[in-house]
Amino acid sequence: MIISIPKIPQKLRNIDRRQIQEKINTEQLKENVSHVKDKLDTNKYQRDTPPKESEIPETNSEANESSDILLISTPFTSKEKEDTIFRLQLLSSGFIILSVIYLFNFLSFIIYGILGVLLVGYIIYLLFNRVKVMYGSEFPAYRDFFLMYIAVGIILVIVGNNPALVTTFSLSYFPSLTIFIFAIIAVAIVYLLFRIRYHRDFTYGVVIETGEKMAYVKVEYDIRSNVKPDIYVVENDYGALDGDTVKLETEKKILSNSGNKPIRIIETVNKI
């Protein structure tokens, strides 16, 4: 290759230019260029021209009026959602326990501050980077639920470090019981506020299999209706089919460690 490079100019001078020009069909080349230009102009015109009324797809307004619309966020598996919520529950409970341990003088304020910041920071990270994507429009309920329990831990520290408040309910044999009294009151207030603002007596699920007036429905964790992820057998008087996303009526229990259970299908919903 190195020896051949100096010979390139000589070879180029020996090329017969007339022979090359004869092989090129000038008229055909112009025709092809003109065809490409016309095609580009046509595509641009189609993009700039608004669609006709007949080309716009019609929506079934009656169907929208008779059923809800469920906003579906980026898909996550039920296991991922359940693990994330369980992790948040452990972290928020751990922050409250950490606050109580600090109030009993088992930790210095510096250690409590470092561990508290780490726990709260990780909770906020999970909320805004995982839960917000998982639950979409339902995110405010999850955000407020866990942030309120962080507030409970902070309130306990403020109360425990205030002698005037500690002596309010103090007992002669166990003065530190005041902390537990305030903790119970704070948790009860958080529960009531959350229930008033976000509680609902229905949830959503996907029909796995239908039978005679009954159906197997897969339901994911729903903090607003206190329904745990599982497959439930529910009444299907509505006539939902396999694969339908449905709205489910739940039990009306105030307190339930096992969670409320769906009992019947109310209607089908549209997924977006």
Side-chain angles (χ1 to χ4, degrees), residues 120-132:
V120 173
Y122 191 43
I123 290 172
I124 294 175
Y125 169 79
L126 288 177
L127 284 174
F128 288 90
N129 289 276
R130 298 278 294 178
V131 178
K132 187 175 183 179

Side-chain angles (χ1 to χ4, degrees), residues 10-263:
Q10 181 66 28
K11 292 182 178 180
L12 292 176
R13 284 194 295 269
N14 295 332
I15 294 176
D16 190 352
R17 297 181 181 179
R18 291 182 180 180
Q19 185 178 0
I20 295 175
Q21 290 177 355
E22 290 176 357
K23 291 182 179 180
I24 298 176
N25 190 338
T26 307
E27 296 297 329
Q28 183 67 27
L29 181 62
K30 291 182 179 179
E31 184 178 348
N32 291 338
V33 173
S34 177
H35 179 70
V36 172
K37 183 178 179 182
D38 292 341
K39 187 175 181 180
L40 292 174
D41 292 340
T42 302
N43 292 337
K44 183 177 183 301
Y45 174 75
Q46 291 176 350
R47 289 196 302 268
D48 296 339
T49 305
K52 298 178 181 179
E53 293 182 359
S54 59
E55 297 176 351
I56 300 176
E58 297 181 355
T59 57
N60 191 348
S61 59
E62 295 181 357
N64 291 337
E65 292 177 358
S66 60
S67 62
D68 290 342
I69 296 177
L70 179 62
L71 298 177
I72 303 298
S73 60
T74 304
F76 284 88
T77 63
S78 299
K79 181 64 175 175
E80 289 176 323
K81 292 182 178 181
E82 185 178 355
D83 289 345
T84 301
I85 297 301
F86 181 68
R87 196 180 308 168
L88 283 169
Q89 291 172 338
L90 290 179
L91 290 170
S92 58
S93 301
F95 180 72
I96 295 178
I97 295 173
L98 182 68
S99 300
V100 173
I101 293 175
Y102 163 71
L103 292 175
F104 285 142
N105 297 320
F106 289 108
L107 293 174
S108 66
F109 181 77
I110 296 176
I111 296 177
Y112 168 73
I114 294 173
L115 295 177
V117 168
L118 291 176
L119 285 176
V120 173
Y122 191 43
I123 290 172
I124 294 175
Y125 169 79
L126 288 177
L127 284 174
F128 288 90
N129 289 276
R130 298 278 294 178
V131 178
K132 187 175 183 179
V133 181
M134 288 177 174
Y135 290 95
S137 59
E138 301 289 333
F139 169 68
Y142 293 85
R143 177 199 62 200
D144 293 352
F145 180 81
F146 291 106
L147 291 183
M148 282 192 293
Y149 276 97
I150 292 175
V152 169
I154 296 173
I155 292 172
L156 286 178
V157 172
I158 294 174
V159 171
N161 289 327
N162 191 325
L165 294 175
V166 171
T167 56
T168 303
F169 298 101
S170 64
L171 302 176
S172 57
Y173 296 102
F174 194 15
S176 298
L177 188 61
T178 304
I179 297 174
F180 291 102
I181 295 176
F182 275 107
I184 294 172
I185 294 174
V187 170
I189 291 174
V190 166
Y191 173 78
L192 290 175
L193 290 176
F194 182 85
R195 186 175 179 84
I196 292 171
R197 181 173 176 80
Y198 291 111
H199 178 72
R200 62 188 181 192
D201 57 359
F202 63 88
T203 188
Y204 297 98
V206 178
V207 178
I208 297 177
E209 184 179 353
T210 56
E212 185 177 356
K213 300 297 182 180
M214 302 296 289
Y216 290 92
V217 181
K218 182 180 181 180
V219 180
E220 296 182 352
Y221 183 80
D222 186 357
I223 198 171
R224 296 185 61 181
S225 57
N226 191 26
V227 174
K228 295 186 177 181
D230 204 344
I231 296 176
Y232 297 91
V233 180
V234 298
E235 298 178 13
N236 187 22
D237 295 331
Y238 184 81
L241 303 176
D242 294 357
D244 286 349
T245 301
V246 293
K247 185 176 180 180
L248 301 160
E249 180 183 350
T250 60
E251 298 173 331
K252 296 178 177 61
K253 294 181 179 179
I254 298 177
L255 293 173
S256 176
N257 292 329
S258 60
N260 296 331
K261 296 181 179 179
I263 53 178

Side-chain angles (χ1 to χ4, degrees), residues 1-12:
M1 291 177 62
I2 295 174
I3 295 173
S4 300
I5 289 174
K7 299 180 181 180
I8 292 176
Q10 181 66 28
K11 292 182 178 180
L12 292 176

